[in-house]
Amino acid sequence: MEYGTLLLGLAVIFGLFMAWGIGANDVANAMGTSVGSRALNIRQAVFVAAVFVFAGAWLAGGEVTQTIRSGMVDSALLADSPSLLVYGMLAALAAAGTWLLTASYFGWPVSTTHSIIGAIIGFAVVGLGFEVVRWERVGTIAISWVLSPMIGGMIAFALFRSIQLLILDTVDPLKNAKRWAPLYIFLTAFVTALVTMFKGLTHVGLDLTTAQAYSFAVLISVAVVVVGLFAIRRLRFEEASLQAHGSHFSDVEKVFGVMMVVTGCAMAFALGSNDVANAVGPLAAVVDVIQTGEVDPETVVPMWVLLLGGFGIVFGLFTYGHKVIATVGTGITQLTPSRGYAATAAAAATVVLASGTGLPISTTHTLVGAILGVGMARGIAAIDLRLVRMIFMSWIVTLPAGAILAIVFFFILRGLLG
Amino acid sequence: MSPKNFVFELFGRSPVRPLQAHMEKVRACIAELPPFIEAMARDDWDTARVQQKKIVKLEHEADRLKKDLRLHLPKGMMLAMSRRDVLDTLLIQDRIANMAKDIAGLMLGRQMQFPANMQGPLQRFLDRSVDAVNQAGRAVNELDELVEAGFRGHEVEVVNDILTELDQIEHESDEAQREVREILFAQEAELPPVNVIFMYRVIDSIGELADLAQRVGSRLQLMLAK
């Protein structure tokens, strides 16, 4: 293939660009509340996020990457035109990266997954024709616009109500927070561990049966609970406020701060495993075609590609993400650890449920729904509904925007490189 | 490119802190009223004038906080409490400060002097009304904790206790008001009639302070009932 090195270089640059965008914006959502609740300082948060994002990308990123590179478009139809696939994937990366950058600039919470899927659909339609696209999959994505925030919202509502019943609304919330914390930490760790087992570990060579996966998940979760209890024991409480006030939510929130760190790690891990695919999926396809000259949807994603994606995300986190974490962490926010815990844990749980039933859903969408769910339980003093409307609009716009940008980039690339 | 984050922009400005800040201002305003009336009683016009200016200034500041909060509660907000109740509470709180300003203005303008035998009971009556306002302030202060608890459970009992006590204080202020009126009634024939009319008006206004404080309480009760 001519221009092989050039195309490979372009693919690496575009892939890094996209990974940078993911690290710069999305990871802060996972770590911000931990900083805000002073459970971690900014430096620790960036470090912890880097470790977990990288681990997620490396350990569990392979499976999702396969879906992105070959799930949306019928690859058999591409077998005759490998160069089209290369231009298309390059265009998709550039388009999704541009759209993400634009969206981040305006503060729209668009989904990385949907940007890249929209872009791939866009190039497929103009480059190969209408029928190559698996439209039934596009349909399920449209359904997920409604379903994922709704499910996330309902779980968050239920989770926050349980926190209210068991902890916040009792005579001694601090005592109850300490009593129930292990349960909540266990739930979070269990859910994350289970996703990893089911979604990713086959990729690094571990093939577990369902029973093995469950027992490993339990083991890991128990270990996390022990660490969490240790951290809670080390907390310093201002017990004096009890007499003065009758309730002392600042101490309770410290306990939730510890839980929040666990959920933050879980989210960072999930982000690494899911979103790295958006950056390296197309890259992997390009690499494959350039190295073999053929289109083969079944080849394994090379490890260095995943590592590159993980590196890009961590780089984004270091160069730009820490600023977002800082604004989130130091600014006055209403997302106290208890609310943050309920919302993020619900989002994580929803993603697991959805993976189990094969629904493609976006973490971003689910998280917004989950926050609304906590708000419905009267847990958040004020939610800006105008912003919610704008967020919904930006989701719907993401697919066509990604598609149109990809078409533009596709024609530019084909025009330039032939 | 400034760092933006949608999760945290999703949250509108909570009305709780501004409402509490406004109530704090109202309490500060009311707190200047007893020293003012004391100064009037001992013919200390300089102090009275200074006090009256303080009251007007604090009422002004409360007004500014009120307008600020109103601007920050547009229709597109999902609140943990009803928008109506928040705005009503704000309005009633504001009327407390207005009332204090009116009392001070009226007394200073008419150079009003209560008969010597009324001074003690009047101070006690005023103190009770000020207590009622302070008690309402304590209830408003619990609002952030209420949001934290999601308006349920134990924290609701804490607020209900505060409100029960508020009702009690308002009741005592009513009693004190009746006592003051009786003393005035016994000697009203000997005093200049126009002065007596305005004395009754001041007494009513002081009683109104406690009534308004109680109405703040009942608005909070409505927020709990949802």
Side-chain angles (χ1 to χ4, degrees), chain A residues 196-215:
Chain A
T196 317
M197 306 282 171
F198 282 140
K199 264 203 160 175
L201 281 188
T202 46
H203 170 78
V204 282
L206 267 175
D207 214 346
L208 301 171
T209 63
T210 311
Q212 277 172 323
Y214 271 99
S215 37

Side-chain angles (χ1 to χ4, degrees), chain A residues 29 169 253 334 378 383 385, chain B residues 5 10 12 76 78 80 148-149:
Chain A
N29 299 337
D169 299 352
E253 292 296 356
Q334 298 190 44
R378 297 181 86 185
I383 288 178
L385 286 178
Chain B
N5 183 291
L10 201 58
M78 185 171 104
E148 186 80 13

Side-chain angles (χ1 to χ4, degrees), chain A residues 67-323:
Chain A
T67 320
I68 292 291
R69 62 182 281 209
S70 51
M72 300 309 302
V73 178
D74 195 346
S75 313
L77 296 173
L78 271 168
D80 307 328
S81 45
S83 65
L84 265 187
L85 179 73
V86 172
Y87 295 147
M89 286 298 181
L90 281 178
L93 273 182
T98 310
W99 175 242
L100 276 186
L101 201 68
T102 317
S104 321
Y105 180 77
F106 290 108
W108 302 331
V110 301
S111 154
T112 15
T113 317
H114 288 185
S115 314
I116 196 77
I117 287 176
I120 291 177
I121 293 171
F123 103 78
V125 168
V126 285
L128 304 157
F130 207 71
E131 63 287 347
V132 227
V133 179
R134 294 181 171 163
W135 289 106
E136 73 282 359
R137 293 216 182 184
V138 181
T140 51
I141 287 171
I143 291 170
S144 81
W145 280 332
V146 183
L147 269 187
S148 51
M150 241 170 57
I151 298 172
M154 284 192 294
I155 296 182
F157 182 89
L159 197 59
F160 189 67
R161 284 293 293 131
S162 83
I163 292 173
Q164 283 181 327
L165 281 175
L166 296 177
I167 299 171
L168 295 178
D169 299 352
T170 53
V171 182
D172 191 352
L174 180 59
K175 198 181 97 202
N176 285 310
K178 286 181 191 162
R179 180 195 293 166
W180 293 104
L183 174 77
Y184 286 114
I185 293 178
F186 181 86
L187 275 177
T188 317
F190 186 67
V191 159
T192 318
L194 216 55
V195 194
T196 317
M197 306 282 171
F198 282 140
K199 264 203 160 175
L201 281 188
T202 46
H203 170 78
V204 282
L206 267 175
D207 214 346
L208 301 171
T209 63
T210 311
Q212 277 172 323
Y214 271 99
S215 37
F216 268 120
V218 169
L219 270 179
I220 292 172
S221 313
V222 169
V224 175
V225 168
V226 171
V227 175
L229 284 180
F230 221 73
I232 290 174
R233 190 171 297 173
R234 281 188 48 190
L235 290 176
R236 277 197 207 125
F237 298 112
E238 303 150 25
E239 301 270 3
S241 62
L242 176 64
Q243 278 82 33
H245 240 308
S247 48
H248 41 176
F249 289 111
S250 59
D251 281 347
V252 178
E253 292 296 356
K254 281 184 194 162
V255 178
F256 275 104
V258 173
M259 298 193 212
M260 199 51 229
V261 174
V262 178
T263 11
C265 294
M267 280 289 275
F269 189 90
L271 267 168
S273 62
N274 281 299
D275 286 16
V276 76
N278 303 325
V280 304
L283 173 59
V286 173
V287 170
D288 193 34
V289 170
I290 289 172
Q291 281 176 347
T292 64
E294 285 168 20
V295 178
D296 180 4
E298 295 306 322
T299 47
V300 184
V301 180
M303 188 55 82
W304 68 266
V305 171
L306 282 179
L307 291 180
L308 190 77
F311 172 75
I313 293 182
V314 172
F315 186 65
L317 181 65
F318 272 110
T319 52
Y320 185 75
H322 73 275
K323 280 193 220 160

Side-chain angles (χ1 to χ4, degrees), chain A residues 29 109 161 164 168-170 245 247 249 253 320 328 333-335 339 368 378 380-385 387 391, chain B residues 3 5-6 8-12 14 76-80 142 145 147-150 152-155 223 226:
Chain A
N29 299 337
R161 284 293 293 131
Q164 283 181 327
L168 295 178
D169 299 352
T170 53
H245 240 308
S247 48
F249 289 111
E253 292 296 356
Y320 185 75
V328 168
T333 170
Q334 298 190 44
L335 198 65
R339 282 93 177 118
V368 172
R378 297 181 86 185
I380 294 167
I383 288 178
D384 195 338
L385 286 178
L387 203 72
I391 287 171
Chain B
N5 183 291
F6 77 91
F8 297 92
E9 293 199 4
L10 201 58
F11 303 107
S14 160
M77 284 280 190
M78 185 171 104
L79 298 176
E142 289 293 316
E145 314 265 296
V147 171
E148 186 80 13
R152 279 174 226 261
H154 176 67
E155 185 59 31
M223 291 185 198
K226 282 248 170 153

Side-chain angles (χ1 to χ4, degrees), chain B residues 20 22-34 92-100 103 125-141 162-163 165-171 173 205-217 220:
Chain B
Q20 290 174 335
H22 181 262
M23 191 55 175
E24 222 28 69
K25 217 30 116 186
V26 172
R27 280 166 89 172
C29 181
I30 296 299
E32 301 298 339
L33 204 50
I92 301 167
Q93 287 180 179
D94 206 55
R95 281 182 57 194
I96 296 177
N98 280 336
M99 196 58 79
I103 293 171
F125 167 42
L126 179 67
D127 284 347
R128 259 358 231 160
S129 285
V130 172
D131 285 347
V133 174
N134 279 328
Q135 183 72 6
R138 276 180 63 198
V140 172
N141 246 335
I162 295 178
L163 293 183
E165 206 183 316
L166 172 58
D167 286 346
Q168 180 60 33
I169 296 172
E170 197 271 340
H171 186 69
S173 137
S205 297
I206 293 173
E208 184 77 8
L209 290 177
D211 284 345
L212 288 170
Q214 197 186 24
R215 282 182 57 197
V216 169
L220 293 181

